[in-house]
């Protein structure tokens, strides 16, 4: 195997390995959350988190298979990217929520984790669903007519995400205060 091919294989497999590690992390966190008396997550919520993480792992697996066979295909790369992002958002929410009862609203690690989950959920949902659907199957927009509407949605999404990322106060009920809150 040539150095270039080996490097391409490592780059194709790395996001899948990250998704797998995050999947294991969310499974452990969900078990901790259901067993924690101060947190008390119910079984259906833990099941939802595990199914979402499993879906992200499957999406990342499909993206990896595409990236290994057709490295130039953008859909494979997008699926690889959204897999770990989806799971990382839920890990952020879980870590933030698990730390809140013991550390309160001024907890920096819990605030950072909750900030990641809270601010990245909309962009990740956009990437995982509408963007993937619009760009399928070759990674390009169906026609030039899609440029302006997609650009407008991306711009609005960026403004909303940035506004939320810098909003002062508690990120959500049961989560710490925003560590980057300015406005």
């Amino acid at each position: 195997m040539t150095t270039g091919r080996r490097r391409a294989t490592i780059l194709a497999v790395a996001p899948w390995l990250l998704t797998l590690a995050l999947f294991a992390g969310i499974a452990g966190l969900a078990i901790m959350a259901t067993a924690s008396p101060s947190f008390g997550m119910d079984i259906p919520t833990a099941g939802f988190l595990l199914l979402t993480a499993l879906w992200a792992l499957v999406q990342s697996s499909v993206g990896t298979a595409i990236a290994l066979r057709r490295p130039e295909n953008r859909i494979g790369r997008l699926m690889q990217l959204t897999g770990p992002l989806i799971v990382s958002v839920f890990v952020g929410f879980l870590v933030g929520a698990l730390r809140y009862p013991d550390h309160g609203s001024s907890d920096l690690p819990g605030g950072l984790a909750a900030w990641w989950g809270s601010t990245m959920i909309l962009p990740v949902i956009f990437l995982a669903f509408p963007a993937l659907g619009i760009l399928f199957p070759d990674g390009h927009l169906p026609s030039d007519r899609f440029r302006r509407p997609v650009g407008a949605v991306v711009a609005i999404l960026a403004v909303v995400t940035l506004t939320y990322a810098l909003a002062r106060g508690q990120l959500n009920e049961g989560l710490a205060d925003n560590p980057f809150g300015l406005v």
Side-chain angles (χ1 to χ4, degrees):
M1 183 181 284
T2 66
T3 304
R5 181 71 179 141
R6 184 176 309 125
R7 184 180 195 166
T9 302
I10 290 169
L11 287 174
V13 174
W16 181 82
L17 291 172
L18 178 60
T19 308
L20 184 63
L22 287 168
F23 175 78
I26 206 165
L29 287 171
I31 290 168
M32 281 176 42
T34 53
S36 169
S38 64
F39 191 73
M41 178 187 287
D42 59 359
I43 300 295
T45 303
F48 168 76
L49 289 172
L50 289 174
L51 282 176
T52 303
L54 181 61
W55 168 74
L57 183 61
V58 168
Q59 183 165 334
S60 184
S61 299
V62 171
T64 300
I66 293 170
L68 287 171
R69 297 244 180 212
R70 305 228 185 243
E72 74 283 354
N73 189 305
R74 295 178 184 171
I75 292 297
R77 297 292 183 203
L78 183 59
M79 292 178 81
Q80 284 184 294
L81 172 71
T82 56
L85 283 175
I86 290 165
V87 182
S88 73
V89 163
F90 285 102
V91 167
F93 277 124
L94 264 175
V95 168
L98 281 169
R99 290 185 59 88
Y100 183 76
D102 295 332
H103 302 281
S105 62
S106 61
D107 177 37
L108 183 61
L112 290 172
W115 179 85
W116 174 260
S118 297
T119 54
M120 292 308 295
I121 192 161
L122 289 178
V124 168
I125 287 172
F126 176 76
L127 282 174
F129 295 108
L132 190 61
I134 291 169
L135 297 173
F136 189 81
D138 61 356
H140 299 284
L141 291 173
S143 72
D144 287 339
R145 294 182 308 186
F146 282 78
R147 286 185 192 267
R148 284 193 177 150
V150 169
V153 169
V154 168
I156 291 168
L157 186 61
V159 168
V160 168
T161 301
L162 185 62
T163 302
Y164 190 76
L166 299 175
R168 195 175 300 173
Q170 198 172 15
L171 288 160
N172 208 336
E173 186 178 333
L175 296 176
D177 291 340
N178 187 349
F180 302 109
L182 300 174
V183 185

